[in-house]
Amino acid sequence: MTTPFTRRRFLASMAGAAGTSALPFAATLAAMGNAAAADNDDYKALVCVFLTGGNDAYNTVLATDPTSWQQYERYRSSGSTSIALAPPGAAGGVLPITPAAAHAGRSFALHPNLGSLKSLFDAGRVGIVANVGTLVAPTTVGAYRSGTAMLPRELFSHNDQQSVWQSSMPEGASYGWGGRMGDLLASGNSNNMFTCVSTAGNAVFVSGRNVSQYQVDAAGVKPVLSLDGYLFGTTRHPLRNIITNNATSNVLEREYVAIVNKALQSQAFLGSAMAPSGAAGIPAPTTYIDPNTRRATVNPLAVQLQTVARVIAARGALGVRRQVFFVSLGGFDTHDNQRTRHADLMARLAHGLSYFDEISANLMGVNMREKVTLFTASDFGRTLVTNGDGTDHGWGNHHFVMGGAVKGRNIYGSFPAVGLGHDSDVGRGALLPSQSVDQYGATLASWFGVPDSQLATVFPNLPNFAQRNLGFMA
């Protein structure tokens, strides 16, 4: 019987590698990884791409049937500067898509700069989930306006709604639903240190009660800073002396030594295990063309997604079967100059997702499309009505799900009417969500391997909804 690769074994192995000249670190790493690699056939990863600031759904996925388009142009052209996009067929117009399942009387299109995402939709590897948002329980516009609805706290607040999206709690939450999934499934990883990974700094989404998020830079492993740098004029950080003094009797010093050494060891471990940039199947991202300047530009989203791919490629050496990743693309708080700013953001999104789909097809010689699912999230949607040359904070939003296990080329859920005064309008065209974040997340979690009996542990509001699975995963 194989001995489980526990955290204690991992730390002991690191200590042994550091103190044994006869067995190089790389050989130790390979020995630890080979046993785990044989058991990784059921590997799965979820990648959350958070569109920070509140993406504008109305200019991302558009209803183009005559009634919808008339209302769209009416309200999007009413400000000092039109933020309406050109219609299908016009020069630079929106890109028509045809969902496999018809929506009676409706037709749809994507933003003109989402061309590569349209290709993935048409190929069946991208699906659209309509009008998703933070909800405690199903409600109505009437209940919302009368104050009788059970609502998430601090609607329309960036910090709070980012937290509610990621954790089901407003700002100050400690644990996110990515981390809670990690808590439940980390036992399947022989080393749980790399179960939840963020390329975008500290994110509550990948924080669990038992599993801590591991943060990496967009370009690779994040270093432990300052230990050998200058501090108050000294050339050697005084804490380095504490770390190397393993015989200290001070309880706080011993704990500090243990934590920092663990960070240093995991840094060395991941740095050696990660596939290098440019390795087979993980080329450096190409630049994208900024639609406003027409210049070739580095896409920070694609760089983060390359880092995710490099970590996934090391799954055998890291001893992981389930991983949750968090990446982000900022700039979506488009209160002004929206048409120009949003055009660039859509170009970055399409380029990044298309790049990740391409490398997932041959990641170090393995097709990982069926094993990796990427999905978008955002603070909230935005208003239909312009504020002059931009939009204000909304609620419900449309989101993309991408991967080989996605039942793509479809729009899931009830696509809302366009205009004001309908049964999804809570004011100025801000959408009352028809599908909750809990339902959206639970659909992903079920594919990921979270048992039905544990879904409410991850998504506390899920029992309030009759439909637990939205059906977009195979």
Side-chain angles (χ1 to χ4, degrees), residues 249-314:
S249 60
N250 185 288
V251 174
L252 292 178
E253 288 183 1
R254 286 204 308 270
E255 187 64 20
Y256 180 82
V257 168
I259 292 171
V260 175
N261 275 329
K262 178 179 175 182
L264 291 169
Q265 291 156 1
S266 61
Q267 173 194 338
F269 185 30
L270 181 59
S272 296
M274 279 179 69
S277 176
I282 317 178
T286 59
T287 54
Y288 82 106
I289 302 301
D290 183 320
N292 301 313
T293 66
R294 307 309 304 169
R295 292 177 180 171
T297 308
V298 173
N299 183 357
L301 175 61
V303 173
Q304 290 180 74
L305 289 171
Q306 187 200 31
T307 300
V308 170
R310 291 171 60 200
V311 175
I312 291 174

Side-chain angles (χ1 to χ4, degrees), residues 147-191:
T148 59
M150 287 195 302
L151 298 175
R153 288 172 51 192
E154 307 298 338
L155 280 173
F156 314 115
S157 158
H158 282 295
N159 291 350
D160 290 285
Q161 289 307 295
Q162 288 170 14
S163 181
V164 174
W165 246 99
Q166 296 178 36
S167 72
S168 304
M169 297 290 292
E171 187 177 17
S174 300
Y175 315 111
W177 53 271
R180 293 195 289 264
M181 286 192 291
D183 286 339
L184 291 173
L185 299 177
S187 61
N189 295 341
S190 58
N191 174 13

Side-chain angles (χ1 to χ4, degrees), residues 56-90:
D56 175 40
Y58 286 106
N59 273 18
T60 301
V61 183
L62 302 90
T64 57
D65 51 275
T67 299
S68 298
W69 195 259
Q70 181 184 39
Q71 293 296 305
Y72 169 80
E73 289 193 318
R74 174 184 177 186
Y75 291 108
R76 290 257 143 160
S77 301
S78 60
S80 57
T81 301
S82 174
I83 60 170
L85 301 173

Side-chain angles (χ1 to χ4, degrees), residues 101-408:
H103 292 240
R106 310 297 296 275
S107 58
F108 303 99
L110 299 180
H111 189 283
N113 291 339
L114 294 179
S116 57
L117 211 54
K118 168 182 160 54
S119 297
L120 293 174
F121 181 90
D122 292 342
R125 294 199 298 279
V126 164
I128 297 166
V129 188
N131 197 17
V132 181
T134 56
L135 287 171
V136 175
T139 191
T140 64
V141 169
Y144 170 84
R145 290 179 175 161
S146 68
T148 59
M150 287 195 302
L151 298 175
R153 288 172 51 192
E154 307 298 338
L155 280 173
F156 314 115
S157 158
H158 282 295
N159 291 350
D160 290 285
Q161 289 307 295
Q162 288 170 14
S163 181
V164 174
W165 246 99
Q166 296 178 36
S167 72
S168 304
M169 297 290 292
E171 187 177 17
S174 300
Y175 315 111
W177 53 271
R180 293 195 289 264
M181 286 192 291
D183 286 339
L184 291 173
L185 299 177
S187 61
N189 295 341
S190 58
N191 174 13
N192 65 23
M193 188 173 296
F194 305 107
T195 301
C196 293
V197 179
S198 171
T199 67
N202 187 38
V204 70
F205 176 74
V206 280
S207 293
R209 290 181 180 274
N210 303 311
V211 173
S212 299
Q213 61 178 292
Y214 193 93
Q215 296 178 33
V216 293
D217 282 336
V221 175
K222 198 176 186 71
V224 179
L225 300 177
S226 301
L227 291 178
D228 290 309
Y230 285 85
L231 182 69
F232 305 129
T234 65
T235 58
R236 183 174 173 83
H237 199 298
L239 292 176
R240 172 66 75 176
N241 294 327
I242 296 175
I243 294 167
T244 56
N245 181 18
N246 291 325
T248 178
S249 60
N250 185 288
V251 174
L252 292 178
E253 288 183 1
R254 286 204 308 270
E255 187 64 20
Y256 180 82
V257 168
I259 292 171
V260 175
N261 275 329
K262 178 179 175 182
L264 291 169
Q265 291 156 1
S266 61
Q267 173 194 338
F269 185 30
L270 181 59
S272 296
M274 279 179 69
S277 176
I282 317 178
T286 59
T287 54
Y288 82 106
I289 302 301
D290 183 320
N292 301 313
T293 66
R294 307 309 304 169
R295 292 177 180 171
T297 308
V298 173
N299 183 357
L301 175 61
V303 173
Q304 290 180 74
L305 289 171
Q306 187 200 31
T307 300
V308 170
R310 291 171 60 200
V311 175
I312 291 174
R315 61 198 179 278
L318 296 178
V320 289
R321 292 182 177 182
R322 293 292 183 273
Q323 286 186 289
V324 183
F325 294 90
F326 181 88
V327 305
S328 71
L329 176 63
F332 285 88
D333 195 19
T334 49
H335 287 282
D336 52 47
N337 197 25
Q338 176 166 308
R339 186 163 175 171
T340 298
R341 293 167 59 194
H342 197 248
D344 182 44
L345 292 166
M346 293 292 97
R348 293 187 189 195
L349 180 64
H351 174 264
L353 268 57
S354 177
Y355 164 77
F356 192 68
D357 171 79
E358 181 180 349
I359 62 176
S360 296
N362 183 26
L363 192 59
M364 303 288 282
V366 180
N367 186 343
M368 298 298 291
R369 279 176 176 162
E370 297 285 339
K371 298 176 180 295
V372 180
T373 298
L374 178 150
F375 63 98
T376 62
S378 192
D379 318 18
F380 34 60
R382 307 195 75 82
T383 57
L384 169 65
V385 177
T386 177
N387 62 16
D389 65 345
T391 53
D392 297 318
H393 299 177
W395 193 357
N397 209 336
H398 311 319
H399 287 288
F400 297 108
V401 187
M402 183 182 85
V406 175
K407 294 157 67 173

Side-chain angles (χ1 to χ4, degrees), residues 383-439:
T383 57
L384 169 65
V385 177
T386 177
N387 62 16
D389 65 345
T391 53
D392 297 318
H393 299 177
W395 193 357
N397 209 336
H398 311 319
H399 287 288
F400 297 108
V401 187
M402 183 182 85
V406 175
K407 294 157 67 173
R409 206 182 139 230
N410 240 327
I411 297 176
Y412 292 87
S414 175
F415 202 93
V418 180
L420 302 183
H422 54 79
D423 59 7
S424 293
D425 171 36
V426 298
R428 303 183 69 234
L431 294 171
L432 173 69
S434 55
Q435 303 181 102
S436 73
V437 174
D438 293 68
Q439 293 169 292

